[in-house]
């Protein structure tokens, strides 16, 4: 199993550009989440999904969209990037009925 | 919503000493409390967790205690080693999958 994978590893965007951060897991996990990590602020939940076709907002959802068309994939979309979205983004997943959450390797995003 | 406070933000200890990191949470309905270790440039890794129906859990040199009345939980690392140096995050789960994290503690263990 590859576990939780994320692409790209690093991305530079200009203000106003759009992009999609990819996240995939091959563990048949129902639950998937997106977090951003900023210095001194820990990890903050952006959006999460409890299964295909179901998504909900976390603590900091503004500026981000998600969809969950399959169990395996949970992409995060930035429609119009802003410098405030410069951060490290982590995707995570867990199996229903279990608490252990597995994180992907992260995507470092720089918005100029 | 849930809020998790974590202290201290930095902690320096001598190798072999103990380290304690404390967290408080606001939502009395929270029922799951994991601790994650994150090394520089790496992803967070779960090191120990506790559920609300348990007061203490131990795994070799690490232990977690939970005081539901006070809404406090703590991570205890005994006999610290240089490889314990990392950033540690506590978290509390509120709702279906809302894991709310503390702001992290940078632990440095000096040989």
């Amino acid at each position: 199993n590859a576990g939780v994978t994320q692409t790209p590893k690093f991305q530079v965007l200009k203000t106003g550009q759009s992009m999609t951060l990819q996240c995939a897991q091959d563990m048949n996990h129902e639950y998937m989440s997106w977090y951003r990590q900023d210095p001194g602020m820990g990890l903050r939940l952006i959006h999460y999904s409890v299964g295909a076709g179901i998504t909900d907002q976390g603590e900091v959802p503004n500026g981000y969209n998600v969809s969950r068309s399959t169990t395996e994939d949970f992409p995060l979309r930035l429609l119009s990037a802003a410098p405030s979205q410069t951060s490290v983004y982590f995707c995570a997943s867990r199996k229903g009925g279990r608490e252990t959450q597995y994180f992907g390797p992260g995507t470092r995003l720089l918005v100029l | 919503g849930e809020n998790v406070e974590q202290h201290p933000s930095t902690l320096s200890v001598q190798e072999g000493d103990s380290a304690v990191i404390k967290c408080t949470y606001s939502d009395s309905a929270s029922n799951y409390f994991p601790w994650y270790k994150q090394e520089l440039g790496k992803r967070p890794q779960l090191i120990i967790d506790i559920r609300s129906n348990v007061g203490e859990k131990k795994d070799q040199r690490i232990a977690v205690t939970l005081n539901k009345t006070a809404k406090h939980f703590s991570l205890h690392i005994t006999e610290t080693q240089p490889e314990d140096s990392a950033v540690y995050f506590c978290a509390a789960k509120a709702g279906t999958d809302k894991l709310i994290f503390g702001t992290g503690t940078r632990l440095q263990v000096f040989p």
Side-chain angles (χ1 to χ4, degrees):
Chain A
N1 285 356
V4 181
T5 58
Q6 292 182 238
T7 56
K9 290 184 179 179
F10 180 68
Q11 183 73 46
V12 179
L13 289 179
K14 293 181 180 177
T15 297
Q17 287 185 316
S18 63
M19 80 161 294
T20 299
L21 280 64
Q22 302 290 346
C23 174
Q25 50 88 14
D26 61 358
M27 299 176 283
N28 201 31
H29 286 178
E30 294 88 345
Y31 294 82
M32 296 186 75
S33 303
W34 274 103
Y35 295 88
R36 61 176 289 174
Q37 184 173 33
D38 304 293
M41 299 191 74
L43 292 110
R44 291 182 292 169
L45 182 65
I46 305 172
H47 285 285
Y48 65 101
S49 169
V50 300
I54 306 170
T55 64
D56 205 348
Q57 296 182 350
E59 302 172 85
V60 289
N62 292 342
Y64 307 95
N65 282 350
V66 292
S67 60
R68 185 95 180 271
S69 56
T70 67
T71 301
E72 294 78 20
D73 301 296
F74 191 42
L76 179 72
R77 296 184 186 84
L78 284 71
L79 297 179
S80 180
S84 60
Q85 294 179 304
T86 293
S87 189
V88 180
Y89 292 85
F90 286 100
C91 179
S93 73
R94 72 174 176 94
K95 186 73 177 168
R98 299 183 181 176
E99 298 288 6
T100 303
Q101 192 157 208
Y102 297 88
F103 282 85
T107 293
R108 188 173 297 272
L109 178 66
L110 175 62
V111 182
L112 301 175
Chain B
E2 175 70 283
N3 183 50
V4 177
E5 293 190 1
Q6 182 172 347
H7 299 281
S9 56
T10 60
L11 180 59
S12 296
V13 299
Q14 205 73 31
E15 182 178 0
D17 288 349
S18 295
V20 180
I21 303 170
K22 299 182 179 181
C23 289
T24 61
Y25 60 98
S26 61
D27 189 346
S28 56
S30 292
N31 57 8
Y32 174 65
F33 307 92
W35 285 88
Y36 285 84
K37 176 183 180 182
Q38 187 179 29
E39 297 175 345
L40 189 63
K42 301 289 183 65
R43 72 192 79 185
Q45 301 266 19
L46 179 72
I47 56 171
I48 195 167
D49 56 10
I50 192 168
R51 295 175 185 270
S52 58
N53 59 350
V54 176
E56 183 174 358
K57 184 177 178 181
K58 196 172 181 179
D59 183 4
Q60 298 183 342
R61 296 187 298 108
I62 60 173
V64 56
T65 59
L66 172 64
N67 182 329
K68 281 178 13 180
T69 304
K71 290 189 270 187
H72 288 172
F73 58 113
S74 300
L75 177 71
H76 304 253
I77 306 174
T78 58
E79 300 173 22
T80 54
Q81 301 168 2
E83 52 265 38
D84 293 329
S85 296
V87 179
Y88 292 80
F89 293 97
C90 63
K93 193 176 86 166
T96 307
D97 203 41
K98 285 188 177 181
L99 199 58
I100 306 301
F101 284 80
T103 50
T105 296
R106 182 174 301 278
L107 174 64
Q108 289 184 299
V109 181
F110 292 97

